[in-house]
Amino acid sequence: MKEEAQVPVKLVDIVQVKLVREKTISYKERRIRSSHDAYKIFQEIVGDSDREVFAIACLSTCNEINCFQIVHIGYINISIVQPSDVMKAAILSNSASILAFHNHPSDDSTPSPEDIAITERLVEAGGIIGTNVLDHLMCTSNGFHTLK
């Protein structure tokens, strides 16, 4: 009679995923009403970084900011993000929509083919999970370009 080999027990972690507040800022304009409002909040938080910074503002159904997240800090001319990383804070903060931003340290706000491609991927991912991507702004120290 053959003995059955003992299979080791698989340990499974029970986890909880949370949104953690790092800090709080005052934003006097309660709602985002325009791309210019969005640009102002990005500049207030990110400023003139010497590297590309990709961030999102997660919004309620009334376009009030639920949270702001810096998703990725890249290099002088590129910041690579995945839709799953971008949408994570939106899901955890129960947001209806997001605004995506990133800066162009070169001070040229013209969108690159990669900027357009990630915007299309974000819109597609947002459509699947029910989170509307309202806009993607390429920001510089003296203005912005919108992909709206």
Side-chain angles (χ1 to χ4, degrees):
M1 184 156 140
K2 293 184 181 178
E3 285 189 35
E4 291 188 33
Q6 292 291 325
V7 178
V9 174
K10 168 70 174 140
L11 299 177
V12 178
D13 294 330
I14 298 173
V15 300
Q16 184 177 39
V17 179
K18 294 182 180 181
L19 193 63
V20 177
R21 180 184 314 139
E22 291 182 347
K23 64 182 177 179
T24 303
I25 65 164
S26 294
Y27 181 62
K28 71 175 189 170
E29 304 290 334
R30 301 218 18 108
R31 292 186 175 138
I32 300 287
R33 291 184 169 87
S34 67
S35 296
H36 189 263
D37 288 349
Y39 170 74
K40 287 190 308 188
I41 191 75
F42 179 82
Q43 286 301 99
E44 182 179 331
I45 295 171
V46 175
D48 292 329
S49 177
D50 63 344
R51 294 178 284 164
E52 282 204 9
V53 176
F54 193 100
I56 60 168
C58 300
L59 306 175
S60 71
T61 55
C62 298
N63 286 350
E64 293 180 344
I65 299 176
N66 291 338
C67 67
F68 189 95
Q69 182 195 22
I70 294 175
V71 178
H72 186 259
I73 299 174
Y75 303 101
I76 61 170
N77 64 346
I78 193 167
S79 179
I80 299 170
V81 295
Q82 294 296 323
S84 57
D85 295 328
V86 173
M87 294 298 179
K88 197 178 303 180
I91 293 167
L92 292 174
S93 64
N94 295 318
S95 296
S97 58
I98 66 165
L99 288 164
F101 316 83
H102 76 278
N103 64 323
H104 281 183
S106 66
D107 258 356
D108 177 4
S109 64
T110 306
S112 68
E114 293 81 10
D115 294 339
I116 295 166
I118 191 60
T119 303
E120 290 169 352
R121 290 185 68 207
L122 291 175
V123 168
E124 182 181 356
I128 292 168
I129 65 169
T131 302
N132 191 18
V133 178
L134 298 178
D135 204 350
H136 181 183
L137 280 68
M138 275 54 56
C139 303
T140 67
S141 60
N142 54 17
F144 63 94
H145 185 96
T146 175
L147 288 177
K148 192 173 185 179

